[in-house]
Amino acid sequence: STNHLDIGSLYLWFSFIMFLTGGAMAMVIRAELFQPGLQLVEPNFFNQMTTVHGLIMVFGAVMPPFTGLANWLIPMMIGAPDMALPRMNNWSFWILPFAFTMLLSSLFMEGGGPNFGWTFYAPLSTTYSPDSTALFVFAILIMGISSMMGAINVIVTIVNLRAPGMTWMKLPLFVWTWLITAFLLIAVMPVLAGAVTMVLTDKFFGTSFFDTAGGGDPVMFQHIFWFFGHPEV
């Protein structure tokens, strides 16, 4: 379907499933922390749980439901028949299940899934990370593409599809907040894409963006990541 209500509902159901998935990982974390010392899982698996829990909650359980609400409400609030780019809307949703399947499948690789925290600071995510880092990077890139397409769709819809008489100053506050959010997403998602791509090349292709031995700087990772991170939040 390219209907904005259907796609909004898909986003909401998807985020609910991701919420349960990330919540199950949180239960592993809390169960392990219930008493001092090792009870249930190995330290490496514990680190994988904290990392993937964070990524799933941020990119799977927090962002998609707001995109779903935007799909549902913005056309109705501005008097538009649908989102401006319905087929792109469809695509921006349907790449998400594949991205998260890729992220979750990394847990079953040799060496385990990403185990360096959801903020994936270098050098933990480069020098000391498992080979599944590649799957993690591709999953993040696909999520970023999805977010950017959703944001482009929101902007084009609000600018072009307002009903006659729906001036800028008559827009509901929800529509204004999403317009601003969409510009923020377009500004920061390429920065995140650059950060994870540099992580990928540092780990697998011998670059030294975040390695002081090659003239790089791990602190640069923090600057790039938080240039993404704060507007994202």
Side-chain angles (χ1 to χ4, degrees):
S1 170
T2 53
N3 182 295
H4 70 103
L5 299 172
D6 291 341
I7 294 172
S9 299
L10 283 170
Y11 268 109
L12 293 169
W13 277 112
F14 171 77
S15 59
F16 180 63
I17 293 166
M18 286 295 106
F19 178 73
L20 296 180
T21 308
M25 295 178 178
M27 297 310 285
V28 174
I29 296 166
R30 298 316 311 177
E32 178 57 58
L33 293 175
F34 185 62
Q35 288 179 316
L38 287 177
Q39 280 81 243
L40 299 173
V41 295
E42 288 299 308
N44 188 44
F45 187 72
F46 180 84
N47 292 342
Q48 293 171 44
M49 286 292 100
T50 54
T51 303
V52 181
H53 158 78
L55 292 168
I56 281 184
M57 285 306 202
V58 171
F59 294 106
V62 175
M63 295 173 67
F66 290 108
T67 313
L69 285 174
N71 265 298
W72 255 87
L73 296 174
I74 288 175
M76 294 197 281
M77 285 181 166
I78 65 174
D82 202 325
M83 295 295 277
L85 307 161
R87 292 174 73 88
M88 187 166 89
N89 202 16
N90 195 13
W91 190 33
S92 66
F93 170 76
W94 278 109
I95 61 177
L96 282 180
F98 293 94
F100 283 93
T101 303
M102 197 185 300
L103 181 62
L104 287 167
S105 67
S106 69
L107 293 168
F108 301 101
M109 281 182 70
E110 193 177 347
N115 57 6
F116 33 72
W118 88 266
T119 47
F120 44 95
Y121 277 177
L124 293 177
S125 57
T126 52
T127 312
Y128 303 110
S129 61
D131 286 344
S132 60
T133 302
L135 279 182
F136 149 79
V137 167
F138 292 137
I140 294 289
L141 288 172
I142 295 172
M143 297 169 209
I145 291 167
S146 167
S147 289
M148 286 198 65
M149 289 197 296
I152 289 166
N153 212 345
V154 164
I155 292 171
V156 175
T157 303
I158 296 171
V159 171
N160 289 336
L161 292 189
R162 284 169 293 138
M166 174 66 74
T167 61
W168 286 104
M169 286 300 127
K170 288 180 183 171
L171 286 180
L173 196 58
F174 179 83
V175 179
W176 269 111
T177 55
W178 245 107
L179 184 66
I180 295 161
T181 301
F183 277 107
L184 284 174
L185 280 172
I186 288 173
V188 302
M189 276 302 167
V191 179
L192 178 69
V196 292
T197 305
M198 287 191 271
V199 164
L200 186 77
T201 58
D202 266 19
K203 175 149 186 66
F204 296 103
F205 298 102
T207 56
S208 300
F209 291 110
F210 309 125
D211 184 3
T212 46
D217 186 356
V219 178
M220 182 174 78
F221 179 90
Q222 298 178 33
H223 291 319
I224 296 170
F225 182 82
W226 290 113
F227 189 91
F228 150 79
H230 191 80
E232 157 71 16
V233 171

